[in-house]
Amino acid sequence: MLKKLLKGSLVLVVVAMIGALAVTGVVAQDTTTICFGFQDLETEFWVAGHRAITDTLRNEGVEVLEYNANEDPNRQLEQIRDCISQGVDGIIIIPQDGDSAVTIVNEAQAADIPIAVFNRPPNDQSRGIVVVADNVSATEQAVEFIAQKALRQFEVTGEPITPLILVGALQDTNAIGRRDGFFNVITRYNERYPGMFNTPIEVATEWDAATALANLEAAITANPGVDFIFTSSDFLFPTIRSVLEPRGMWQPAGTTGHVLLAGLDGDATACSLIDSGYVDATGVQDLFLEAELTLDAIRGAIADGDSQPNAVLLDPGFALTAGNIRWQRSDMWGCVLYDEGFLNQ
């Protein structure tokens, strides 16, 4: 169904898809009020997810109370407490991290208000509706693609590959899963092909571009032989480019000096860079599916009078690569944005 709607905007695509599903599901009533708390809108994924959720709900006559915590977990907790005091019918949150999410979910359920957590799961998933990407699987699929390329290089030259990972904030469950997925692939290849990979270099980013820039600059200066990079989020590709390009390391695939690159999220920048050959693969969080799962679950809980729902709803994710982009392009939300000219705005 999604492919039939690709000529519309991303928001219209998501809204139309999710709205159509409501015909056979639960249709919200005019009196419904949902509190939507989010930690910030720094990346394309959060912007697209926010718009998909808010536009869909408002198109159904739901009152949406929006709260931006600006990456402050204490502020977000106070905002959700304000929502609870107003007696909202349901809550959707994008939390700052997995620890703060646990506290927020517990407070919402103690007040008998159903709550759904979008994409950034609590560290304890025994309460609330949790919609989460399989970060380990999506990462493994993306890193596997560049590991296959690295293997061919290793078989020809006999020289070990030097991998580097830009690690997210490790108090975030998503960041932990992505790091685990990366190391799973590196370990698996070193077991099969001893000596193929040198010890990976870990670069802390804390999900912050300035932190990532400073730490990556230091890492590449100390290790100029890095030829295999995975970023735990696509939003850092411009940062990676700013470090590699002055050193002659920002080259398209098939040319001398190309550094094997993979990421995770599936944003418009990643799509454009796979098109142009600078990036080899990205693990994709299926924004369309995750928005659908979140809205169906919270509306269903409200309609059923279930004030303390618990369900973990999984987005299995997939990898968009230089090898499959021709036929899987329209499945990635970032390519929908890119093909509509999002990066030219």
Side-chain angles (χ1 to χ4, degrees):
M1 179 176 183
L2 178 59
K3 293 180 180 178
K4 297 179 181 178
L5 299 168
L6 289 178
K7 292 183 180 179
S9 69
L10 174 68
V11 174
L12 291 177
V13 170
V14 180
V15 170
M17 182 187 69
I18 297 172
L21 289 166
V23 173
T24 56
V26 178
V27 179
Q29 300 299 312
D30 291 346
T31 56
T32 300
T33 300
I34 290 181
C35 170
F36 184 22
F38 46 94
Q39 45 83 30
D40 205 351
L41 299 176
E42 181 181 3
T43 70
E44 295 167 23
F45 182 85
W46 295 131
V47 171
H50 167 268
R51 292 177 63 187
I53 289 169
T54 56
D55 284 14
T56 300
L57 290 173
R58 287 180 174 134
N59 283 348
E60 295 177 357
V62 175
E63 181 181 1
V64 182
L65 306 180
E66 296 186 56
Y67 291 85
N68 186 343
N70 295 116
E71 301 186 348
D72 183 339
N74 294 321
R75 182 179 183 184
Q76 185 169 58
L77 177 58
E78 291 305 314
Q79 290 172 338
I80 298 305
R81 286 173 174 167
D82 182 47
C83 289
I84 292 171
S85 70
Q86 294 183 60
V88 298
D89 297 292
I91 298 171
I92 298 172
I93 62 165
I94 301 172
Q96 176 62 23
D97 54 57
D99 289 332
S100 64
V102 173
T103 302
I104 290 172
V105 169
N106 288 345
E107 293 216 9
Q109 291 208 328
D112 288 329
I113 297 176
I115 184 168
V117 184
F118 179 78
N119 188 264
R120 183 168 281 168
N123 290 339
D124 176 4
Q125 298 179 26
S126 64
R127 294 186 175 189
I129 298 161
V130 180
V131 177
V132 59
D134 188 337
N135 287 282
V136 174
S137 173
T139 298
E140 287 184 349
Q141 291 177 66
V143 177
E144 174 72 25
F145 185 80
I146 58 173
Q148 284 287 330
K149 289 191 168 189
L151 175 59
R152 291 193 289 272
Q153 179 180 321
F154 176 63
E155 289 174 335
V156 170
T157 67
E159 296 293 327
I161 309 299
T162 301
L164 179 148
I165 175 175
L166 287 91
V167 181
L170 290 177
Q171 66 270 31
D172 173 13
T173 303
N174 287 350
I176 294 170
R178 296 172 195 189
R179 182 183 182 277
D180 288 347
F182 172 83
F183 276 97
N184 288 349
V185 176
I186 298 299
T187 300
R188 188 158 60 239
Y189 272 79
N190 267 345
E191 289 173 349
R192 294 176 183 171
Y193 310 99
M196 176 177 164
F197 284 114
N198 290 322
T199 301
I201 299 161
E202 295 190 59
V203 174
T205 71
E206 300 301 324
W207 296 138
D208 176 72
T211 301
L213 176 61
N215 290 340
L216 184 60
E217 284 272 14
I220 296 297
T221 298
N223 303 275
V226 166
D227 46 6
F228 184 108
I229 295 177
F230 171 73
T231 171
S232 295
S233 178
D234 290 343
F235 91 95
L236 290 173
F237 277 129
T239 301
I240 295 170
R241 178 175 184 171
S242 71
V243 174
L244 298 188
E245 196 165 39
R247 294 170 167 82
M249 299 169 67
W250 185 257
Q251 304 293 338
T255 62
T256 302
H258 173 65
V259 175
L260 293 167
L261 283 171
L264 199 142
D265 277 336
D267 71 15
T269 300
C271 184
S272 71
L273 292 173
I274 294 173
D275 266 352
S276 56
Y278 291 96
V279 168
D280 300 278
T282 189
V284 181
Q285 300 186 89
D286 192 339
L287 170 66
F288 306 130
L289 174 63
E290 291 185 25
E292 172 194 328
L293 292 173
T294 301
L295 294 178
D296 279 356
I298 195 69
R299 290 178 302 196
I302 293 169
D304 294 342
D306 184 359
S307 63
Q308 298 188 351
N310 174 231
V312 177
L313 307 175
L314 190 64
D315 162 21
F318 63 95
L320 191 78
T321 73
N324 67 17
I325 191 170
R326 289 185 180 180
W327 61 86
Q328 274 197 267
R329 181 186 198 89
S330 63
D331 294 333
M332 186 166 107
W333 62 273
C335 283
V336 175
L337 280 175
Y338 175 57
D339 292 343
E340 291 170 356
F342 176 83
L343 297 180
N344 298 323
Q345 297 176 9

PDB file of all heavy atoms in Angstrom, residues 44 166 209 212-213 216-217 231 233-246 250 261 267-270 272-273 279 343:
ATOM      1  N   GLU A  44      16.446  13.690  11.484  1.00  0.00           N
ATOM      2  CA  GLU A  44      15.361  13.519  10.522  1.00  0.00           C
ATOM      3  C   GLU A  44      14.366  12.456  10.990  1.00  0.00           C
ATOM      4  O   GLU A  44      13.160  12.587  10.778  1.00  0.00           O
ATOM      5  CB  GLU A  44      15.929  13.120   9.157  1.00  0.00           C
ATOM      6  CG  GLU A  44      16.792  14.192   8.513  1.00  0.00           C
ATOM      7  CD  GLU A  44      17.584  13.656   7.329  1.00  0.00           C
ATOM      8  OE1 GLU A  44      17.176  12.636   6.736  1.00  0.00           O
ATOM      9  OE2 GLU A  44      18.623  14.256   6.996  1.00  0.00           O
ATOM     10  N   LEU A 166      31.366   4.505  15.808  1.00  0.00           N
ATOM     11  CA  LEU A 166      30.906   5.665  16.556  1.00  0.00           C
ATOM     12  C   LEU A 166      29.751   5.192  17.430  1.00  0.00           C
ATOM     13  O   LEU A 166      28.697   4.791  16.924  1.00  0.00           O
ATOM     14  CB  LEU A 166      30.457   6.791  15.619  1.00  0.00           C
ATOM     15  CG  LEU A 166      31.602   7.528  14.906  1.00  0.00           C
ATOM     16  CD1 LEU A 166      31.899   6.871  13.557  1.00  0.00           C
ATOM     17  CD2 LEU A 166      31.257   8.996  14.700  1.00  0.00           C
ATOM     18  N   ALA A 209      26.708  15.757  17.907  1.00  0.00           N
ATOM     19  CA  ALA A 209      27.589  15.934  16.751  1.00  0.00           C
ATOM     20  C   ALA A 209      28.923  16.566  17.136  1.00  0.00           C
ATOM     21  O   ALA A 209      29.979  16.181  16.608  1.00  0.00           O
ATOM     22  CB  ALA A 209      26.889  16.770  15.690  1.00  0.00           C
ATOM     23  N   ALA A 212      31.033  13.967  18.828  1.00  0.00           N
ATOM     24  CA  ALA A 212      31.482  13.003  17.817  1.00  0.00           C
ATOM     25  C   ALA A 212      32.614  13.576  16.978  1.00  0.00           C
ATOM     26  O   ALA A 212      33.595  12.883  16.683  1.00  0.00           O
ATOM     27  CB  ALA A 212      30.307  12.616  16.921  1.00  0.00           C
ATOM     28  N   LEU A 213      32.502  14.833  16.587  1.00  0.00           N
ATOM     29  CA  LEU A 213      33.533  15.462  15.756  1.00  0.00           C
ATOM     30  C   LEU A 213      34.875  15.489  16.473  1.00  0.00           C
ATOM     31  O   LEU A 213      35.904  15.082  15.905  1.00  0.00           O
ATOM     32  CB  LEU A 213      33.107  16.884  15.391  1.00  0.00           C
ATOM     33  CG  LEU A 213      34.128  17.710  14.597  1.00  0.00           C
ATOM     34  CD1 LEU A 213      34.449  17.044  13.262  1.00  0.00           C
ATOM     35  CD2 LEU A 213      33.616  19.128  14.387  1.00  0.00           C
ATOM     36  N   LEU A 216      36.185  11.825  16.918  1.00  0.00           N
ATOM     37  CA  LEU A 216      36.559  11.180  15.659  1.00  0.00           C
ATOM     38  C   LEU A 216      37.827  11.794  15.091  1.00  0.00           C
ATOM     39  O   LEU A 216      38.688  11.082  14.558  1.00  0.00           O
ATOM     40  CB  LEU A 216      35.408  11.280  14.652  1.00  0.00           C
ATOM     41  CG  LEU A 216      35.637  10.564  13.315  1.00  0.00           C
ATOM     42  CD1 LEU A 216      35.869   9.067  13.515  1.00  0.00           C
ATOM     43  CD2 LEU A 216      34.440  10.792  12.376  1.00  0.00           C
ATOM     44  N   GLU A 217      37.951  13.108  15.182  1.00  0.00           N
ATOM     45  CA  GLU A 217      39.189  13.775  14.747  1.00  0.00           C
ATOM     46  C   GLU A 217      40.392  13.163  15.461  1.00  0.00           C
ATOM     47  O   GLU A 217      41.405  12.826  14.826  1.00  0.00           O
ATOM     48  CB  GLU A 217      39.114  15.273  15.059  1.00  0.00           C
ATOM     49  CG  GLU A 217      38.248  16.088  14.127  1.00  0.00           C
ATOM     50  CD  GLU A 217      39.002  16.585  12.904  1.00  0.00           C
ATOM     51  OE1 GLU A 217      40.130  16.086  12.639  1.00  0.00           O
ATOM     52  OE2 GLU A 217      38.457  17.458  12.204  1.00  0.00           O
ATOM     53  N   THR A 231      28.664   4.003  11.910  1.00  0.00           N
ATOM     54  CA  THR A 231      28.112   5.011  12.798  1.00  0.00           C
ATOM     55  C   THR A 231      26.777   4.525  13.341  1.00  0.00           C
ATOM     56  O   THR A 231      25.919   4.058  12.589  1.00  0.00           O
ATOM     57  CB  THR A 231      27.931   6.368  12.100  1.00  0.00           C
ATOM     58  OG1 THR A 231      27.193   7.244  12.981  1.00  0.00           O
ATOM     59  CG2 THR A 231      27.174   6.269  10.790  1.00  0.00           C
ATOM     60  N   SER A 233      24.375   6.130  14.253  1.00  0.00           N
ATOM     61  CA  SER A 233      23.250   6.909  13.728  1.00  0.00           C
ATOM     62  C   SER A 233      23.672   7.623  12.454  1.00  0.00           C
ATOM     63  O   SER A 233      24.753   8.217  12.387  1.00  0.00           O
ATOM     64  CB  SER A 233      22.755   7.936  14.746  1.00  0.00           C
ATOM     65  OG  SER A 233      21.693   8.706  14.198  1.00  0.00           O
ATOM     66  N   ASP A 234      22.778   7.587  11.454  1.00  0.00           N
ATOM     67  CA  ASP A 234      23.062   8.223  10.169  1.00  0.00           C
ATOM     68  C   ASP A 234      23.269   9.731  10.280  1.00  0.00           C
ATOM     69  O   ASP A 234      23.903  10.335   9.416  1.00  0.00           O
ATOM     70  CB  ASP A 234      21.910   7.975   9.192  1.00  0.00           C
ATOM     71  CG  ASP A 234      21.800   6.532   8.734  1.00  0.00           C
ATOM     72  OD1 ASP A 234      22.775   5.778   8.906  1.00  0.00           O
ATOM     73  OD2 ASP A 234      20.736   6.158   8.201  1.00  0.00           O
ATOM     74  N   PHE A 235      22.733  10.362  11.311  1.00  0.00           N
ATOM     75  CA  PHE A 235      22.845  11.817  11.386  1.00  0.00           C
ATOM     76  C   PHE A 235      24.297  12.270  11.521  1.00  0.00           C
ATOM     77  O   PHE A 235      24.613  13.438  11.315  1.00  0.00           O
ATOM     78  CB  PHE A 235      21.968  12.379  12.520  1.00  0.00           C
ATOM     79  CG  PHE A 235      22.630  12.527  13.865  1.00  0.00           C
ATOM     80  CD1 PHE A 235      23.197  13.737  14.249  1.00  0.00           C
ATOM     81  CD2 PHE A 235      22.653  11.475  14.772  1.00  0.00           C
ATOM     82  CE1 PHE A 235      23.778  13.889  15.505  1.00  0.00           C
ATOM     83  CE2 PHE A 235      23.224  11.618  16.023  1.00  0.00           C
ATOM     84  CZ  PHE A 235      23.802  12.835  16.391  1.00  0.00           C
ATOM     85  N   LEU A 236      25.202  11.320  11.809  1.00  0.00           N
ATOM     86  CA  LEU A 236      26.617  11.663  11.948  1.00  0.00           C
ATOM     87  C   LEU A 236      27.407  11.524  10.643  1.00  0.00           C
ATOM     88  O   LEU A 236      28.616  11.789  10.629  1.00  0.00           O
ATOM     89  CB  LEU A 236      27.256  10.796  13.038  1.00  0.00           C
ATOM     90  CG  LEU A 236      26.784  11.119  14.463  1.00  0.00           C
ATOM     91  CD1 LEU A 236      27.330  10.096  15.452  1.00  0.00           C
ATOM     92  CD2 LEU A 236      27.203  12.532  14.873  1.00  0.00           C
ATOM     93  N   PHE A 237      26.768  11.148   9.546  1.00  0.00           N
ATOM     94  CA  PHE A 237      27.512  11.050   8.282  1.00  0.00           C
ATOM     95  C   PHE A 237      28.148  12.381   7.869  1.00  0.00           C
ATOM     96  O   PHE A 237      29.298  12.401   7.410  1.00  0.00           O
ATOM     97  CB  PHE A 237      26.631  10.499   7.159  1.00  0.00           C
ATOM     98  CG  PHE A 237      26.532   8.994   7.159  1.00  0.00           C
ATOM     99  CD1 PHE A 237      25.305   8.355   7.116  1.00  0.00           C
ATOM    100  CD2 PHE A 237      27.677   8.200   7.193  1.00  0.00           C
ATOM    101  CE1 PHE A 237      25.205   6.968   7.112  1.00  0.00           C
ATOM    102  CE2 PHE A 237      27.594   6.808   7.194  1.00  0.00           C
ATOM    103  CZ  PHE A 237      26.353   6.193   7.158  1.00  0.00           C
ATOM    104  N   PRO A 238      27.471  13.522   7.995  1.00  0.00           N
ATOM    105  CA  PRO A 238      28.150  14.785   7.674  1.00  0.00           C
ATOM    106  C   PRO A 238      29.377  15.034   8.553  1.00  0.00           C
ATOM    107  O   PRO A 238      30.378  15.596   8.082  1.00  0.00           O
ATOM    108  CB  PRO A 238      27.057  15.842   7.917  1.00  0.00           C
ATOM    109  CG  PRO A 238      25.770  15.103   7.691  1.00  0.00           C
ATOM    110  CD  PRO A 238      26.031  13.737   8.258  1.00  0.00           C
ATOM    111  N   THR A 239      29.308  14.627   9.811  1.00  0.00           N
ATOM    112  CA  THR A 239      30.454  14.760  10.700  1.00  0.00           C
ATOM    113  C   THR A 239      31.604  13.876  10.222  1.00  0.00           C
ATOM    114  O   THR A 239      32.770  14.306  10.184  1.00  0.00           O
ATOM    115  CB  THR A 239      30.058  14.361  12.134  1.00  0.00           C
ATOM    116  OG1 THR A 239      28.997  15.210  12.576  1.00  0.00           O
ATOM    117  CG2 THR A 239      31.236  14.475  13.086  1.00  0.00           C
ATOM    118  N   ILE A 240      31.285  12.655   9.849  1.00  0.00           N
ATOM    119  CA  ILE A 240      32.311  11.742   9.333  1.00  0.00           C
ATOM    120  C   ILE A 240      32.955  12.322   8.089  1.00  0.00           C
ATOM    121  O   ILE A 240      34.184  12.314   7.931  1.00  0.00           O
ATOM    122  CB  ILE A 240      31.692  10.361   9.038  1.00  0.00           C
ATOM    123  CG1 ILE A 240      31.212   9.705  10.340  1.00  0.00           C
ATOM    124  CG2 ILE A 240      32.676   9.451   8.310  1.00  0.00           C
ATOM    125  CD1 ILE A 240      30.369   8.461  10.130  1.00  0.00           C
ATOM    126  N   ARG A 241      32.132  12.861   7.205  1.00  0.00           N
ATOM    127  CA  ARG A 241      32.666  13.449   5.973  1.00  0.00           C
ATOM    128  C   ARG A 241      33.630  14.595   6.285  1.00  0.00           C
ATOM    129  O   ARG A 241      34.696  14.706   5.658  1.00  0.00           O
ATOM    130  CB  ARG A 241      31.526  13.957   5.094  1.00  0.00           C
ATOM    131  CG  ARG A 241      32.013  14.630   3.815  1.00  0.00           C
ATOM    132  CD  ARG A 241      30.875  15.016   2.904  1.00  0.00           C
ATOM    133  NE  ARG A 241      31.375  15.562   1.646  1.00  0.00           N
ATOM    134  CZ  ARG A 241      30.621  15.821   0.585  1.00  0.00           C
ATOM    135  NH1 ARG A 241      29.303  15.599   0.637  1.00  0.00           N
ATOM    136  NH2 ARG A 241      31.161  16.288  -0.518  1.00  0.00           N
ATOM    137  N   SER A 242      33.258  15.430   7.258  1.00  0.00           N
ATOM    138  CA  SER A 242      34.102  16.586   7.576  1.00  0.00           C
ATOM    139  C   SER A 242      35.471  16.168   8.107  1.00  0.00           C
ATOM    140  O   SER A 242      36.443  16.925   7.980  1.00  0.00           O
ATOM    141  CB  SER A 242      33.400  17.491   8.588  1.00  0.00           C
ATOM    142  OG  SER A 242      33.350  16.883   9.876  1.00  0.00           O
ATOM    143  N   VAL A 243      35.568  14.970   8.669  1.00  0.00           N
ATOM    144  CA  VAL A 243      36.848  14.464   9.167  1.00  0.00           C
ATOM    145  C   VAL A 243      37.620  13.738   8.069  1.00  0.00           C
ATOM    146  O   VAL A 243      38.846  13.915   7.931  1.00  0.00           O
ATOM    147  CB  VAL A 243      36.623  13.521  10.371  1.00  0.00           C
ATOM    148  CG1 VAL A 243      37.936  12.863  10.802  1.00  0.00           C
ATOM    149  CG2 VAL A 243      36.005  14.288  11.537  1.00  0.00           C
ATOM    150  N   LEU A 244      36.926  12.947   7.266  1.00  0.00           N
ATOM    151  CA  LEU A 244      37.611  12.135   6.252  1.00  0.00           C
ATOM    152  C   LEU A 244      38.019  12.932   5.013  1.00  0.00           C
ATOM    153  O   LEU A 244      39.097  12.686   4.443  1.00  0.00           O
ATOM    154  CB  LEU A 244      36.707  10.968   5.826  1.00  0.00           C
ATOM    155  CG  LEU A 244      36.300   9.949   6.890  1.00  0.00           C
ATOM    156  CD1 LEU A 244      35.565   8.776   6.235  1.00  0.00           C
ATOM    157  CD2 LEU A 244      37.500   9.456   7.689  1.00  0.00           C
ATOM    158  N   GLU A 245      37.180  13.839   4.581  1.00  0.00           N
ATOM    159  CA  GLU A 245      37.418  14.516   3.295  1.00  0.00           C
ATOM    160  C   GLU A 245      38.747  15.270   3.243  1.00  0.00           C
ATOM    161  O   GLU A 245      39.499  15.133   2.254  1.00  0.00           O
ATOM    162  CB  GLU A 245      36.246  15.450   2.982  1.00  0.00           C
ATOM    163  CG  GLU A 245      36.212  15.896   1.526  1.00  0.00           C
ATOM    164  CD  GLU A 245      34.861  16.506   1.174  1.00  0.00           C
ATOM    165  OE1 GLU A 245      34.294  17.234   2.014  1.00  0.00           O
ATOM    166  OE2 GLU A 245      34.371  16.263   0.055  1.00  0.00           O
ATOM    167  N   PRO A 246      39.115  16.047   4.261  1.00  0.00           N
ATOM    168  CA  PRO A 246      40.413  16.751   4.186  1.00  0.00           C
ATOM    169  C   PRO A 246      41.608  15.811   4.144  1.00  0.00           C
ATOM    170  O   PRO A 246      42.701  16.215   3.733  1.00  0.00           O
ATOM    171  CB  PRO A 246      40.423  17.589   5.478  1.00  0.00           C
ATOM    172  CG  PRO A 246      39.001  17.684   5.907  1.00  0.00           C
ATOM    173  CD  PRO A 246      38.370  16.401   5.483  1.00  0.00           C
ATOM    174  N   TRP A 250      37.531  10.428   1.873  1.00  0.00           N
ATOM    175  CA  TRP A 250      36.108  10.466   1.504  1.00  0.00           C
ATOM    176  C   TRP A 250      36.017  10.210   0.007  1.00  0.00           C
ATOM    177  O   TRP A 250      36.022  11.123  -0.813  1.00  0.00           O
ATOM    178  CB  TRP A 250      35.490  11.801   1.889  1.00  0.00           C
ATOM    179  CG  TRP A 250      34.007  11.904   1.652  1.00  0.00           C
ATOM    180  CD1 TRP A 250      33.398  12.562   0.624  1.00  0.00           C
ATOM    181  CD2 TRP A 250      32.955  11.345   2.449  1.00  0.00           C
ATOM    182  NE1 TRP A 250      32.031  12.447   0.723  1.00  0.00           N
ATOM    183  CE2 TRP A 250      31.723  11.715   1.838  1.00  0.00           C
ATOM    184  CE3 TRP A 250      32.918  10.576   3.607  1.00  0.00           C
ATOM    185  CZ2 TRP A 250      30.482  11.326   2.359  1.00  0.00           C
ATOM    186  CZ3 TRP A 250      31.689  10.200   4.122  1.00  0.00           C
ATOM    187  CH2 TRP A 250      30.491  10.573   3.503  1.00  0.00           C
ATOM    188  N   LEU A 261      31.711   2.201   4.644  1.00  0.00           N
ATOM    189  CA  LEU A 261      30.877   2.962   5.569  1.00  0.00           C
ATOM    190  C   LEU A 261      29.480   2.359   5.685  1.00  0.00           C
ATOM    191  O   LEU A 261      28.839   2.059   4.683  1.00  0.00           O
ATOM    192  CB  LEU A 261      30.735   4.409   5.087  1.00  0.00           C
ATOM    193  CG  LEU A 261      31.917   5.357   5.315  1.00  0.00           C
ATOM    194  CD1 LEU A 261      31.686   6.669   4.576  1.00  0.00           C
ATOM    195  CD2 LEU A 261      32.090   5.626   6.805  1.00  0.00           C
ATOM    196  N   ASP A 267      18.002   7.565   7.139  1.00  0.00           N
ATOM    197  CA  ASP A 267      17.558   8.926   6.850  1.00  0.00           C
ATOM    198  C   ASP A 267      17.862   9.351   5.416  1.00  0.00           C
ATOM    199  O   ASP A 267      18.441   8.601   4.624  1.00  0.00           O
ATOM    200  CB  ASP A 267      18.101   9.918   7.886  1.00  0.00           C
ATOM    201  CG  ASP A 267      19.606  10.172   7.778  1.00  0.00           C
ATOM    202  OD1 ASP A 267      20.224   9.820   6.758  1.00  0.00           O
ATOM    203  OD2 ASP A 267      20.170  10.750   8.736  1.00  0.00           O
ATOM    204  N   ALA A 268      17.425  10.560   5.075  1.00  0.00           N
ATOM    205  CA  ALA A 268      17.565  11.053   3.699  1.00  0.00           C
ATOM    206  C   ALA A 268      19.024  11.221   3.306  1.00  0.00           C
ATOM    207  O   ALA A 268      19.403  10.968   2.159  1.00  0.00           O
ATOM    208  CB  ALA A 268      16.810  12.380   3.545  1.00  0.00           C
ATOM    209  N   THR A 269      19.851  11.664   4.237  1.00  0.00           N
ATOM    210  CA  THR A 269      21.275  11.819   3.949  1.00  0.00           C
ATOM    211  C   THR A 269      21.911  10.483   3.610  1.00  0.00           C
ATOM    212  O   THR A 269      22.693  10.368   2.657  1.00  0.00           O
ATOM    213  CB  THR A 269      21.996  12.470   5.140  1.00  0.00           C
ATOM    214  OG1 THR A 269      21.438  13.764   5.393  1.00  0.00           O
ATOM    215  CG2 THR A 269      23.483  12.601   4.875  1.00  0.00           C
ATOM    216  N   ALA A 270      21.566   9.454   4.378  1.00  0.00           N
ATOM    217  CA  ALA A 270      22.109   8.125   4.079  1.00  0.00           C
ATOM    218  C   ALA A 270      21.685   7.660   2.703  1.00  0.00           C
ATOM    219  O   ALA A 270      22.480   7.086   1.954  1.00  0.00           O
ATOM    220  CB  ALA A 270      21.641   7.120   5.143  1.00  0.00           C
ATOM    221  N   SER A 272      20.976   9.511   0.072  1.00  0.00           N
ATOM    222  CA  SER A 272      21.721  10.253  -0.950  1.00  0.00           C
ATOM    223  C   SER A 272      23.158   9.752  -1.056  1.00  0.00           C
ATOM    224  O   SER A 272      23.726   9.680  -2.150  1.00  0.00           O
ATOM    225  CB  SER A 272      21.711  11.749  -0.636  1.00  0.00           C
ATOM    226  OG  SER A 272      22.527  12.058   0.484  1.00  0.00           O
ATOM    227  N   LEU A 273      23.751   9.370   0.085  1.00  0.00           N
ATOM    228  CA  LEU A 273      25.145   8.927   0.077  1.00  0.00           C
ATOM    229  C   LEU A 273      25.302   7.505  -0.448  1.00  0.00           C
ATOM    230  O   LEU A 273      26.343   7.157  -0.999  1.00  0.00           O
ATOM    231  CB  LEU A 273      25.733   9.053   1.489  1.00  0.00           C
ATOM    232  CG  LEU A 273      25.901  10.494   1.988  1.00  0.00           C
ATOM    233  CD1 LEU A 273      26.335  10.510   3.450  1.00  0.00           C
ATOM    234  CD2 LEU A 273      26.914  11.257   1.124  1.00  0.00           C
ATOM    235  N   VAL A 279      28.524   5.922   0.876  1.00  0.00           N
ATOM    236  CA  VAL A 279      28.099   5.025   1.939  1.00  0.00           C
ATOM    237  C   VAL A 279      27.657   3.714   1.311  1.00  0.00           C
ATOM    238  O   VAL A 279      27.009   3.704   0.256  1.00  0.00           O
ATOM    239  CB  VAL A 279      26.954   5.655   2.772  1.00  0.00           C
ATOM    240  CG1 VAL A 279      26.298   4.632   3.682  1.00  0.00           C
ATOM    241  CG2 VAL A 279      27.498   6.834   3.579  1.00  0.00           C
ATOM    242  N   LEU A 343      16.311  17.310   1.130  1.00  0.00           N
ATOM    243  CA  LEU A 343      17.628  17.876   1.397  1.00  0.00           C
ATOM    244  C   LEU A 343      17.852  19.195   0.678  1.00  0.00           C
ATOM    245  O   LEU A 343      18.833  19.900   0.964  1.00  0.00           O
ATOM    246  CB  LEU A 343      18.721  16.876   1.024  1.00  0.00           C
ATOM    247  CG  LEU A 343      18.735  15.572   1.818  1.00  0.00           C
ATOM    248  CD1 LEU A 343      19.862  14.671   1.356  1.00  0.00           C
ATOM    249  CD2 LEU A 343      18.847  15.846   3.319  1.00  0.00           C
TER     250      LEU A 343
END
